[in-house]
Amino acid sequence: MIRQWYTAFGINVLLGIPAIVPIWMLYFIIALWTQIAGAEYGDDSSAALVIFGPIAAACAVLWWLANRPLARRTQLGQLSYWLLALTGTFLPTAAIITIWP
């Protein structure tokens, strides 16, 4: 049984490694969406939302489904667990952003 916080954190770090791609997709959607609407960027932001949006949403649902049973097994409170899970998931992406030349 998973009762310690570091086990749940480690599992979420491992889940964060393949989550680098959907996190990048969300960043790409937000970056295109917030740009000044120009003639050349109007179509790109809609295409990015249509293509990357469902993929990122499906990955978020899978992440939530994987963490739901873990949240019940730990001794952490709900808010503490989900903050720990988000931190562990975003850690590999932050590491790649930090070390990428």
Side-chain angles (χ1 to χ4, degrees), residues 3-39:
R3 292 212 172 266
Q4 303 298 327
W5 66 271
Y6 50 83
T7 307
F9 183 74
I11 290 171
N12 278 291
V13 168
L14 292 176
L15 286 172
I17 293 170
I20 292 171
V21 175
I23 292 170
W24 174 82
M25 288 179 185
L26 287 174
Y27 168 75
F28 190 74
I29 290 170
I30 292 168
L32 283 178
W33 202 266
T34 57
Q35 282 182 350
I36 298 172

Side-chain angles (χ1 to χ4, degrees), residues 40-97:
E40 62 182 297
Y41 294 117
D43 296 333
D44 291 343
S45 62
S46 298
L49 185 63
V50 169
I51 294 169
F52 293 154
I55 295 170
C59 290
V61 168
L62 289 173
W63 174 82
W64 179 71
L65 288 173
N67 273 296
R68 216 170 60 171
L70 292 174
R72 285 187 236 131
R73 292 182 182 158
T74 59
Q75 295 176 346
L76 297 172
Q78 290 294 317
L79 181 62
S80 300
Y81 177 79
W82 290 105
L83 287 174
L84 180 81
L86 281 172
T87 303
T89 304
F90 283 111
L91 194 63
T93 303
I96 286 196
I97 290 171

